[in-house]
Amino acid sequence: MTHAFSSLKHLVLSDAAVHRVAPALAAGLLGLGLLYGVAFAQPELLHNAAHDVRHTLAFPCH
């Protein structure tokens, strides 16, 4: 009986593993989402977005 319990224990993730895996998974999904969004955006859309951000942050752009 102890052998079956010890092999089952290895299948369950520990709390420490969950706290390491969850942020890494979230960061990976965010990165893929940003990459997907930029890859399929039109160049004019990206230029206008960067231009608007420069104005918002009070940086000269012209």
Side-chain angles (χ1 to χ4, degrees), residues 12 15-19 21 29 32 38 41 44 49 51 56 59-60:
V12 178
D15 286 339
V18 170
H19 288 298
V21 171
L29 289 174
L32 285 174
V38 170
E44 184 179 334
H51 188 259
T56 302
F59 285 116

Side-chain angles (χ1 to χ4, degrees), residues 27-60:
L29 289 174
L30 177 64
L32 285 174
L34 288 172
L35 190 62
Y36 179 80
V38 170
F40 290 106
Q42 299 297 323
E44 184 179 334
L45 177 72
L46 294 175
H47 172 79
N48 289 339
H51 188 259
D52 292 343
V53 168
R54 279 184 245 147
H55 278 292
T56 302
L57 297 174
F59 285 116

